[in-house]
């Protein structure tokens, strides 16, 4: 992607469909006059009076307890430097988004026009009654140290400067595990820290808490080794000044056990790496370019344990492993401070989590056979679903034990259950799907690439490394559109109707004819059909010239599905195909089937649809909990619909007792566990969150998914065809660019799965 187009896309993302990345959403009813009299005057006076009586009631009647301020003055924004408060706002909004999607914490971002320490502190203190916690961000050192110190002392809510402590906590957890793997003594390891800003100082202080000896630490800044004889050192740098007679990073690296990089890219050479002790631990955390390239480092030293700040290498030191969950735990016990005990609890909890058996969902996301504790897995992955219910309890317990919790927790199991429900809004399943596709991109045919939106989707798929696009359509139109949108990539572009594709059309036609010659097709007809892009594209997948296909943007579904069903065989053991939609709802992911194929499936069909949908759910590393839904509950009606559902459920219960499915059920009973448990305690779905709805006919399924999409603004992936032997997927007519990108990611993951199965 060219720099100009990256810039354009980033600006467009932040500007459309409305400016910014976060918004305020009402949490109470407001439709009627009665609602409004409760929300504001006169009803609002009652909680005001209760809070006046007891200030702690503010946590009972307002959002304070789940509201964090992300505050900056814009003096040290990412790698951009002192760009000012207004220019820092996109970053602060982004931090707010991460708080929400990973830990369900609400955020107001606050940009303060104050570089003077006293003025900044005064401003934050003045607005602090609004918030349950303060996350300081992108404030330059040394002012950041003084600001955080004083705010922690003068406020009675948690305050943390994430730039300092986030990296410190995550890297300390990684360091603890790396030292354990190398069988070294933490009190004896020699550590070189390159960089002396807020993050480096805080990292080193936390390493000392972990057991590192101060005398074994050498810190370097842009001028070289920080020595006691140097003048004009800040108090923070002076804290780590050494008596050793060395001046350069190269000298410091000799015989070092650990290198911690919080500086800039490509300043560590292979020679420096070779001079380190056996089993060197190297955390090159400059981003996006590490202090030494990952591949170069592991090529130079086979015994190295390497971590970076990048997501495309093992052992990513990512602050998102820390701050959302630290604040979650602190807020949930109303901690008055984030103290050293809580930070160290986060270190140990993260380190311990990396040693536990990894859920299959995480292996799937990162395309690993089985992640396990070792040199390439010393800290958890950011998409590990256990973070939300493992880290906050550790923080909460540390707060309680250190005496800073105003609302202690007694029922820890209930608390863990509550945390599990905080799955994090923001399409986690889509992020997981994209991440998984990127691990092993496949050749993906876009059969309608001469349409602008389809080409935009292909562009995003290419730029984000989700797939390797193959573009079908009128070549001159595609090239013009690529120039128009700045899509500069050397991709295979094919127009099936041109003379230059005659050989391929003839070859594809012969393959097709051999399969269809006893079904009314002649060889001439078969070759002629290959001029049609959907036939041509499907044959590319059939013969292995492409791995997957998406199509259907510009034509009605029935006309697109027909050639697909003619060319692509059913999977082994499949007698009838079906389709499912994944809906990303506010209550979590919900799979609906059959949404496009079978108009009135029989009981036997419903069994097959359920089994195929269950396998589809498992592609996401999730356990399918399925309800067959209707207008009645468990035989309360003698309708044909009820009878066929009961027949299908009976068959599944008898022959597949481990399958979690039940019905027939009305949709509200299926999705409301309290209602289900109260009225139908015998159901196999009790105690489980239903994530799959199997419908009795196409009409009900199709209407439901389109209603969810339009009225509830649920994101949709699908309809996904289930039961084909090749990864071919059909879009809805006029699908959005986002929907096409998501479908592309799913097609790639489908291709990955089929490739594994066929090995």
């Amino acid at each position: 992607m060219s720099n100009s187009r990256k810039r354009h896309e980033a600006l467009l993302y932040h500007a459309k469909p409305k400016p910014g990345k976060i918004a305020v959403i009402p949490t109470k009813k407001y439709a009627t006059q009665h609602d409004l009299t409760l929300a504001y005057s006169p009803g609002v006076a009652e909680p005001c009076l209760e809070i006046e009586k007891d200030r702690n009631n503010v946590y009972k009647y307002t959002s304070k307890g789940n509201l964090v301020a992300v505050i900056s003055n814009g003096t040290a924004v990412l790698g951009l430097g002192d760009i000012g408060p207004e220019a820092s706002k996109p970053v602060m909004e982004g931090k707010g988004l991460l708080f929400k999607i990973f830990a369900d914490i609400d955020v107001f971002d606050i940009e303060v026009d104050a570089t003077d320490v006293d003025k900044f502190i005064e401003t934050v203190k003045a607005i602090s009654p609004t918030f349950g916690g303060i996350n300081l961000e992108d404030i330059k050192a040394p002012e950041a140290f003084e600001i955080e110190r004083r705010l922690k002392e003068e406020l009675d809510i948690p305050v943390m400067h994430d730039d300092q402590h986030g990296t410190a906590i995550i890297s300390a957890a990684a360091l603890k595990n790396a030292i354990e793997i190398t069988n070294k003594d933490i009190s004896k390891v020699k550590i070189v820290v390159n960089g002396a800003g807020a993050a480096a100082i805080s990292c080193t202080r936390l390493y000392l808490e972990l057991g590192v000896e101060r005398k074994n630490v050498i810190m370097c800044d842009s001028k070289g080794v920080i020595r006691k004889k140097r003048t004009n050192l800040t108090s923070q740098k002076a804290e780590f000044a050494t008596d050793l007679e060395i001046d350069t990073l190269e000298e410091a690296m000799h015989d070092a056990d650990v290198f911690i990089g919080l500086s800039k890219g490509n300043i560590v050479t292979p020679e420096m790496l070779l001079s380190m002790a056996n089993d060197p631990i190297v955390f090159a955390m400059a981003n996006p370019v590490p202090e030494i390239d990952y591949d170069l480092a592991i090529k130079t030293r086979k015994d190295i344990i390497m971590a970076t700040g990048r997501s495309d290498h093992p052992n990513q030191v990512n602050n998102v492993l820390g701050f959302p969950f630290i604040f979650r735990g602190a807020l949930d016990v109303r901690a008055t401070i984030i103290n050293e005990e809580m930070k160290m609890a986060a270190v140990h909890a993260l380190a311990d989590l990396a040693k536990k058996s990894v859920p299959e969902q995480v292996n799937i996301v990162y395309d690993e056979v089985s992640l396990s504790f070792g040199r390439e897995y010393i800290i958890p992955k950011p998409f590990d679903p256990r973070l939300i219910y493992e880290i906050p309890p550790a923080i909460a317990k540390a707060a309680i034990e250190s005496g800073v919790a105003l609302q202690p927790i007694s029922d820890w199991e209930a608390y863990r259950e509550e945390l599990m429900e905080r799955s994090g809004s923001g399409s986690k399943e889509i992020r997981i799907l994209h991440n998984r596709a990127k691990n092993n991109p496949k050749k993906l045919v876009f059969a309608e690439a001469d349409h602008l939106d389809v080409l935009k989707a292909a562009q995003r798929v290419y730029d984000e490394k989700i797939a390797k696009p193959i573009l079908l359509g009128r070549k001159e139109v595609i090239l013009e559109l690529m120039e128009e949108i700045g899509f500069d990539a050397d991709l295979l572009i094919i127009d099936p109707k041109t003379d230059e594709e005659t050989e391929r059309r003839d070859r594809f036609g012969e393959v097709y004819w051999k399969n269809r010659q006893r079904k009314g097709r002649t060889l001439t007809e078969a070759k002629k059909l290959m001029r049609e892009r959907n036939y041509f594209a499907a044959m590319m997948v059939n013969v292995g010239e492409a791995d997957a296909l998406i199509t259907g943007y510009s034509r009605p579904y029935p006309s697109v599905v027909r050639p697909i069903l003619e060319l692509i065989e059913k999977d082994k053991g499949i007698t009838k195909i079906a389709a499912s939609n994944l809906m990303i709802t506010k209550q979590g992911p919900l799979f609906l089937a059959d949404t496009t194929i079978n108009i009135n499936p029989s009981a036997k069909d419903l069994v097959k649809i359920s089994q195929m949908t269950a396998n589809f759910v498992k592609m996401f590393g999730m356990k399918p909990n399925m309800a067959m839904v209707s207008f009645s509950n468990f035989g309360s009606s003698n309708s044909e619909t009820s009878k066929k559902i009961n027949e299908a459920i009976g068959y599944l219960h008898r022959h597949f007792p481990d399958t979690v499915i039940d019905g027939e059920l009305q949709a509200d009973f299926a999705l409301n566990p309290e209602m289900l448990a109260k009225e139908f305690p015998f159901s196999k779905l009790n105690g489980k969150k239903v994530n799959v709805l199997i419908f009795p006919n196409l009409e009900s399924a199709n209407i439901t998914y389109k209603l969810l999409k339009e009225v509830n603004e649920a994101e949709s992936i699908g309809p996904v065809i289930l039961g084909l032997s090749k990864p071919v997927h059909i879009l809805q007519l006029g699908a959005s660019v986002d929907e096409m990108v998501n479908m592309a990611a799913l097609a790639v993951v489908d291709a990955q799965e089929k490739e594994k199965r066929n090995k």
Side-chain angles (χ1 to χ4, degrees):
M1 186 192 295
S2 67
N3 288 334
S4 62
R5 196 165 63 73
K6 281 182 182 178
R7 178 177 180 277
H8 174 74
E9 188 172 8
L11 292 175
L12 193 63
Y13 171 84
H14 284 80
K16 303 290 183 180
K18 61 182 181 180
K21 295 192 286 285
I22 56 178
V24 177
I25 299 173
T27 60
K28 297 291 192 294
K29 294 185 295 181
Y30 54 88
T32 67
Q33 182 63 31
H34 177 69
D35 294 335
L36 295 179
T37 61
L38 292 174
Y40 199 54
S41 181
V44 74
E46 299 304 327
C48 291
L49 293 171
E50 291 299 308
I51 295 167
E52 183 189 25
K53 293 175 189 174
D54 181 353
R55 197 179 64 151
N56 289 320
N57 281 333
V58 70
Y59 288 93
K60 183 177 181 180
Y61 296 114
T62 78
S63 62
K64 177 182 172 83
N66 195 54
L67 186 61
V68 166
V70 174
I71 304 182
S72 179
N73 60 6
T75 54
V77 181
L78 302 177
L80 305 174
D82 185 354
I83 60 175
E86 291 88 355
S88 75
K89 186 172 176 62
V91 179
M92 303 312 121
E93 286 187 353
K95 196 65 174 274
L97 185 147
L98 295 177
F99 265 109
K100 187 64 178 176
I101 66 176
F102 281 99
D104 195 25
I105 293 172
D106 296 318
V107 162
F108 290 161
D109 63 290
I110 309 289
E111 292 73 39
V112 180
D113 188 8
T115 55
D116 176 77
V117 169
D118 290 330
K119 186 177 178 182
F120 186 91
I121 291 171
E122 180 184 350
T123 302
V124 175
K125 285 178 64 179
I127 64 173
S128 64
T130 306
F131 301 101
I134 304 288
N135 181 95
L136 300 171
E137 194 79 16
D138 291 350
I139 303 168
K140 73 180 180 72
E143 290 91 335
F145 297 107
E146 179 67 6
I147 287 171
E148 188 196 41
R149 182 189 68 78
R150 284 182 50 188
L151 286 174
K152 287 176 71 172
E153 289 178 357
E154 298 172 29
L155 293 179
D156 61 355
I157 57 175
V159 177
M160 188 173 85
H161 185 209
D162 186 52
D163 298 318
Q164 293 182 52
H165 305 297
T167 303
I169 289 165
I170 314 309
S171 64
L175 181 62
K176 180 188 178 190
N177 282 343
I179 288 173
E180 179 180 323
I181 289 169
T182 56
N183 293 313
K184 295 188 178 186
D185 184 341
I186 194 169
S187 67
K188 295 179 180 178
V189 293
K190 178 182 173 184
I191 297 182
V192 176
V193 180
N194 197 60
I201 297 294
S202 293
C203 283
T204 312
R205 286 174 177 168
L206 198 57
Y207 302 160
L208 298 183
E209 293 286 330
L210 202 58
V212 171
E213 293 286 340
R214 188 183 298 269
K215 65 182 180 181
N216 294 329
V217 175
I218 300 172
M219 184 175 286
C220 304
D221 61 12
S222 59
K223 297 177 182 177
V225 174
I226 298 173
R227 296 175 58 185
K228 289 184 178 179
K229 70 177 185 180
R230 276 175 52 179
T231 58
N232 298 321
L233 290 175
T234 65
S235 60
Q236 291 80 23
K237 289 185 179 182
E239 187 180 337
F240 296 103
T242 181
D243 287 320
L244 294 174
E245 294 292 327
I246 55 175
D247 294 299
T248 67
L249 175 61
E250 184 176 8
E251 292 175 294
M253 293 277 283
H254 187 72
D255 284 336
D257 296 287
V258 180
F259 170 80
I260 303 294
L262 290 155
S263 50
K264 61 181 182 179
N266 296 323
I267 60 169
V268 173
T269 66
E271 290 73 24
M272 292 181 189
L273 211 58
L274 290 167
S275 75
M276 294 181 71
N278 291 334
D279 295 310
I281 298 166
V282 175
F283 293 176
M285 294 180 285
N287 223 347
V289 181
E291 282 80 0
I292 183 169
D293 178 73
Y294 177 86
D295 293 328
L296 176 60
I298 61 173
K299 181 180 178 182
T300 302
R301 292 289 298 257
K302 302 299 182 186
D303 58 345
I304 195 172
I305 294 181
M306 179 80 171
T308 70
R310 293 177 60 109
S311 61
D312 52 351
H313 299 308
N315 301 326
Q316 184 192 13
V317 178
N318 189 331
N319 281 18
V320 82
L321 289 169
F323 69 84
F325 312 110
I326 293 167
F327 272 96
R328 180 76 272 156
L331 292 174
D332 290 340
V333 294
R334 281 183 50 200
T336 57
I337 191 173
I338 294 175
N339 57 25
E340 294 305 310
E341 291 88 344
M342 294 161 73
K343 287 188 284 185
M344 193 54 67
V347 171
H348 293 307
L350 283 166
D352 291 344
L353 184 57
K355 299 175 188 176
K356 295 180 180 179
S357 178
V358 176
E360 183 58 21
Q361 180 180 352
V362 180
N363 289 319
I364 288 171
V365 170
Y366 292 95
D367 197 29
E368 297 282 350
V369 174
S370 181
L371 281 168
S372 60
F373 181 59
R375 290 174 179 264
E376 294 190 348
Y377 182 65
I378 58 175
I379 42 176
K381 298 285 190 180
F383 286 118
D384 194 320
R386 299 171 298 173
L387 289 163
I388 185 62
Y389 59 83
E390 291 284 354
I391 310 307
I395 307 304
K397 286 178 181 177
I400 295 168
E401 291 169 2
S402 61
V404 299
L406 298 180
Q407 188 174 292
I409 292 169
S410 56
D411 189 339
W412 291 98
E413 280 305 310
Y415 179 50
R416 283 170 63 90
E417 288 293 326
E418 178 189 324
L419 290 169
M420 288 179 191
E421 289 299 311
R422 294 184 182 275
S423 57
S425 60
S427 307
K428 178 177 66 177
E429 285 70 31
I430 290 177
R431 299 196 307 274
I432 287 172
L433 186 71
H434 285 216
N435 198 61
R436 189 176 168 196
K438 292 175 188 178
N439 284 324
N440 185 14
K442 298 295 182 183
K443 292 182 289 184
L444 175 64
V445 180
F446 288 82
E448 300 154 296
D450 48 6
H451 291 267
L452 180 59
D453 280 355
V454 177
L455 194 62
K456 284 181 178 178
Q459 182 181 34
R460 273 186 50 193
V461 163
Y462 174 80
D463 289 341
E464 295 175 24
K465 297 181 173 59
I466 290 170
K468 304 167 186 174
I470 298 172
L471 308 178
L472 259 63
R474 294 162 293 174
K475 192 169 185 176
E476 69 279 4
V477 174
I478 292 173
L479 290 172
E480 286 176 11
L481 291 175
M482 288 180 75
E483 185 175 357
E484 179 183 328
I485 63 175
F487 188 2
D488 183 18
D490 184 17
L491 298 178
L492 179 60
I493 302 174
I494 297 173
D495 185 346
K497 294 184 177 181
T498 60
D499 291 342
E500 61 189 75
E501 293 301 327
T502 301
E503 184 276 328
R504 194 163 6 204
R505 280 200 309 270
D506 289 347
R507 178 161 47 86
F508 286 177
E510 288 182 10
V511 174
Y512 173 58
W513 177 64
K514 287 178 182 178
N515 290 329
R516 304 287 297 185
Q517 57 189 351
R518 293 184 180 273
K519 296 181 181 180
R521 291 291 189 197
T522 67
L523 179 58
T524 301
E525 287 176 326
K527 290 181 178 181
K528 184 178 180 180
L529 282 173
M530 291 306 120
R531 299 174 66 87
E532 299 295 328
R533 60 182 68 189
N534 285 323
Y535 281 93
F536 188 94
M539 284 305 301
M540 288 190 75
V541 176
N542 258 341
V543 302
E545 292 188 20
D547 300 307
L549 159 68
I550 62 171
T551 185
Y553 169 81
S554 64
R555 297 182 183 184
Y557 198 92
S559 67
V560 178
V561 76
R562 193 176 302 113
I564 301 304
L565 298 183
E566 283 186 22
L567 276 88
I568 307 297
E569 294 181 358
K570 297 182 185 70
D571 221 339
K572 292 178 182 177
I574 300 299
T575 57
K576 183 178 285 287
I577 65 167
S580 178
N581 276 72
L582 167 56
M583 310 302 296
I584 308 299
T585 75
K586 293 177 181 177
Q587 284 71 42
L590 191 61
F591 295 81
L592 311 180
D594 172 5
T595 49
T596 59
I597 301 291
N598 297 288
I599 295 174
N600 189 22
S602 66
K604 188 179 291 186
D605 294 337
L606 288 175
V607 169
K608 291 296 184 183
I609 290 168
S610 301
Q611 292 173 324
M612 288 189 291
T613 305
N615 289 331
F616 178 45
V617 175
K618 291 173 184 176
M619 276 179 57
F620 293 84
M622 299 166 61
K623 293 181 179 179
N625 297 320
M626 302 185 287
M628 280 198 190
V629 291
S630 182
F631 61 88
S632 54
N633 289 312
F634 294 115
S636 62
S637 167
N638 288 321
S639 69
E640 289 302 315
T641 296
S642 298
K643 288 177 182 177
K644 74 176 179 181
I645 289 178
N646 285 323
E647 183 182 339
I649 290 292
Y651 183 90
L652 287 164
H653 283 184
R654 288 192 305 273
H655 297 282
F656 302 94
D658 293 335
T659 299
V660 181
I661 189 168
D662 216 339
E664 87 265 28
L665 275 169
Q666 293 174 351
D668 52 354
F669 281 96
L671 297 174
N672 189 319
E674 288 80 17
M675 286 176 60
L676 182 67
K678 181 180 178 181
E679 299 296 332
F680 308 110
F682 56 84
S683 174
K684 288 185 72 171
L685 293 171
N686 272 311
K688 298 176 175 63
K689 185 175 182 179
V690 169
N691 53 14
V692 180
L693 299 180
I694 306 296
F695 290 85
N697 52 49
L698 178 60
E699 184 176 40
S700 56
N702 192 272
I703 290 171
T704 300
Y705 108 73
K706 291 194 173 182
L707 276 174
L708 279 173
K709 181 180 171 186
E710 295 303 321
V711 176
N712 201 38
E713 297 183 349
E715 282 193 79
S716 171
I717 301 179
V720 177
I721 296 182
L722 309 175
L724 293 179
S725 61
K726 302 285 185 180
V728 174
H729 296 286
I730 302 174
L731 304 162
Q732 282 291 288
L733 182 67
S736 70
V737 172
D738 283 341
E739 287 172 329
M740 286 186 273
V741 172
N742 292 338
M743 189 68 98
L746 187 137
V748 170
V749 172
D750 190 13
Q752 293 170 354
E753 287 293 302
K754 286 179 167 61
E755 182 181 60
K756 288 178 185 176
R757 192 181 63 197
N758 294 327
K759 279 185 178 179

